[in-house]
Structures are given as C-alpha cells and as structure tokens.
C-alpha cells in the first residue's frame, strides 16, 4: 500500500527528458511523496515507507533510523533547492493517490 501511494501521485511524475538530466538522488526525491516523517507511529506502522524519498536515496539504511535522519535530509534538500514533497496528513496523502488513479 505505502509504496504505491508514495509514488502514484501527480506531483511525483517528471517529464522523461527532464528526468534523464537529474542525478540519482534527485530522481528519488522528485518521484516520492512522504507523509508524517516525524511520526514514530507512522514510521513503525509503514515500516519506514512514510519517508519514501529518504529510503530511496539511502536504501541500505535500516527503516528504524529514517525518522532520526529525516530532519537533516530536509536541510540538505532545502540547501540544494530540491523540493521535498511531504503530504500534510494521511488523508491528503491518500486523496492524492486516489485522485491520480481515477
């Protein structure tokens, strides 16, 4: 569930030509939607997939560390002007998915 909802959002698609110009990390961030990255509950319940962009950038890091790393990840994205997509709530996260799929 979480893997599909995190990627099947309108904001997560980049034109193929533009996508080819992006670095690996930029493609991962641009193709992911995160939610409740600071939540201990959602981190455990989703197996860390609520922090999908970070998970894809650092796939070898255990999900148990993603919540602690996320504030620094936000800073790095901000520093490099990379839009980190974070849904403000689970409801909006799921609504974006349902809207995209219909």
């Amino acid at each position: 569930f979480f893997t599909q909802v995190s990627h099947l959002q309108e904001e997560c698609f980049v034109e193929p030509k533009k996508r080819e110009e992006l670095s690996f990390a930029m493609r991962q961030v641009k193709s992911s939607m995160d939610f409740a990255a600071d939540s201990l509950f959602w981190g455990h319940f989703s197996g860390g997939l609520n922090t999908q962009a970070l998970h894809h950038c650092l796939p070898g890091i255990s999900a148990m560390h993603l919540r602690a790393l996320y504030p620094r990840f936000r800073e790095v994205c901000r520093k490099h002007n990379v839009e980190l997509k974070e849904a403000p709530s689970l409801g909006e996260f799921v609504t974006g998915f349902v809207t995209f799929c219909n």
Side-chain angles (χ1 to χ4, degrees):
F1 172 78
F2 289 103
T3 60
Q4 298 307 304
V5 177
S6 293
H7 295 293
L8 297 178
Q9 305 263 350
E10 185 70 35
E11 300 95 322
C12 295
F13 285 85
V14 180
E15 293 177 38
K17 279 189 176 182
K18 289 183 181 179
R19 188 174 53 234
E20 292 173 14
E21 299 170 1
L22 300 172
S23 68
F24 171 81
M26 290 276 282
R27 283 193 312 273
Q28 305 315 306
V29 173
K30 288 189 173 287
S31 67
S32 300
M33 174 72 71
D34 297 335
F35 79 98
D38 300 316
S39 170
L40 180 63
F41 171 80
W42 285 112
H44 284 287
F45 187 73
S46 71
L49 296 179
N50 61 319
T51 56
Q52 193 75 233
L54 178 56
H55 163 70
H56 279 287
C57 287
L58 302 171
I61 302 295
S62 169
M64 68 181 287
H65 300 296
L66 297 176
R67 186 172 61 91
L69 292 170
Y70 208 85
R72 179 70 177 123
F73 182 60
R74 277 188 187 115
E75 289 176 21
V76 170
C77 289
R78 223 180 340 260
K79 177 182 175 183
H80 295 280
N81 295 317
V82 175
E83 179 191 4
L84 182 58
K85 295 183 242 9
E86 297 182 75
S89 69
L90 178 63
E92 289 188 41
F93 180 65
V94 173
T95 298
F97 169 72
V98 170
T99 300
F100 178 78
C101 291
N102 285 319

